[in-house]
């Protein structure tokens, strides 16, 4: 979000942005999640930066169709052929980290600075309509014409400027991972060019999505009554999903 916003401000608004990133530059944030980029997302990415668009498509998989297995009844949804004919772009599944890398390269190619290891801890609107922002690891506040909070669901900017109330849990948790296809049992992991969604229990849903030829994204949802009972580590989540209570497949 922040990298895309920076590209848009630079390209279309004539504003020279600076991106402040909470994580350290050397941090490895892993594979992250998988994304389905629909026609509008691909068109937006192409408008922001053609190179980022091409690199993202090259890393991902062109989705040929979608399989919905709902309570034992299978339905097939349209694939990229339909969307390309209708909207001019298809559907691509790709790793979040791959999109991030393409956007980061585009930001750097436009000379937009990225400052790592900084979190917003105080915001003050000045009389001249400038915004004063105090960052962690920085002794003095800095002034800007515009502050964009693209810092996620637990946004510090939103909390400081508007509403400090944290997001309310809705009783549903999602577990997800990106794995190498070679590590899976033969025939598992879904179709190599289709998105597969399984719903054989009103409280459970699973999805499989290819990320290029070598990786698979999977996700499983569970509903819960007690937030404190949720797993606190990957190992705990695996044990829960494979238990008799949750192993629906």
């Amino acid at each position: 979000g922040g990298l895309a916003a920076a590209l848009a401000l630079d390209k279309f608004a004539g504003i020279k942005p600076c991106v402040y990133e909470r994580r350290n530059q050397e941090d490895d944030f892993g594979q992250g999640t998988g994304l389905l980029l629909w026609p509008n997302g691909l068109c937006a990415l192409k408008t922001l930066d053609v190179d980022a668009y091409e690199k993202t498509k090259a890393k991902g998989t062109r989705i040929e169709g979608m399989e919905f297995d709902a309570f034992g009844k299978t339905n097939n949804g349209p694939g990229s052929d339909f969307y390309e004919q209708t909207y001019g772009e298809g559907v691509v599944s790709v790793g979040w980290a791959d999109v991030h890398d393409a956007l980061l390269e585009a930001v750097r190619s436009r000379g937009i600075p990225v400052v790592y290891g900084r979190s917003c801890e105080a915001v003050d609107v000045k009389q001249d309509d400038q915004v004063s922002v105090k960052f962690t690891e920085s002794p003095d506040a800095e002034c800007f014409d515009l502050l964009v909070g693209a810092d996620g669901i637990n946004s510090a900017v939103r909390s400081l400027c508007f509403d400090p109330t944290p997001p309310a849990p809705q009783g549903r948790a999602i577990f997800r991972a990106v794995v190498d296809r070679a590590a899976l049992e033969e025939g598992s992991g879904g179709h190599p060019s289709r998105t597969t969604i399984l719903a054989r229990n009103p409280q459970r849903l699973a999805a499989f999505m290819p990320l290029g030829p070598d990786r698979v994204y999977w996700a499983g949802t569970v509903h819960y009554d007690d937030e404190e009972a949720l797993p606190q580590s990957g190992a705990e989540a695996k044990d829960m999903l494979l238990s008799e209570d949750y192993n629906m497949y």
Side-chain angles (χ1 to χ4, degrees), residues 34-202:
L35 300 174
L36 264 185
L37 291 181
W38 295 83
N40 56 346
L42 289 170
C43 288
L45 184 58
K46 188 175 184 179
T47 301
L48 286 176
D49 190 90
V50 174
D51 286 343
Y53 162 84
E54 295 289 354
K55 290 171 183 174
T56 296
K57 290 188 69 174
K59 283 282 190 177
T61 297
R62 180 180 181 272
I63 295 298
E64 296 177 357
M66 302 187 187
E67 300 173 346
F68 302 91
D69 187 333
F71 310 107
K73 182 178 180 181
T74 301
N75 294 293
N76 293 317
S80 286
D81 286 344
F82 167 79
Y83 291 104
E84 286 168 353
Q85 293 171 9
T86 307
Y87 302 109
E89 287 285 357
V91 180
V92 172
S93 59
V94 65
W96 173 87
D98 297 322
V99 180
H100 177 276
D101 289 347
L103 288 171
L104 181 59
E105 190 171 338
V107 162
R108 287 173 171 166
S109 71
R110 297 184 71 90
I112 299 172
V114 179
V115 182
Y116 290 92
R118 298 288 189 272
S119 295
C120 178
E121 63 179 15
V123 177
D124 183 28
V125 179
K126 300 295 185 180
Q127 291 184 349
D128 57 1
D129 288 337
Q130 283 206 319
V131 184
S132 173
V133 183
K134 175 68 172 63
F135 294 100
T136 57
E137 307 300 327
S138 180
D140 301 314
E142 301 180 49
C143 287
F144 303 93
D145 296 316
L146 175 68
L147 172 64
V148 177
D151 47 345
I153 189 171
N154 295 304
S155 170
V157 174
R158 182 190 67 239
S159 177
L160 290 167
C161 296
F162 302 105
D163 185 358
T165 306
Q170 298 299 306
R172 187 181 75 150
I174 304 176
F175 302 95
R176 59 190 85 193
V178 175
V179 297
D180 291 332
R181 185 175 288 276
L184 301 175
E185 295 181 8
E186 185 175 353
S188 65
H191 193 279
S193 61
R194 300 172 71 89
T195 294
T196 304
I197 298 176
L198 307 174
R200 298 178 188 169
N201 182 312

Side-chain angles (χ1 to χ4, degrees), residues 9-28:
L9 290 170
D10 181 66
K11 186 172 183 178
F12 301 112
I15 295 175
K16 285 300 178 183
C18 181
V19 178
Y20 288 81
E21 171 64 56
R22 180 171 51 210
R23 70 180 182 90
N24 293 318
Q25 186 171 6
E26 65 272 11
D27 286 351
D28 179 8

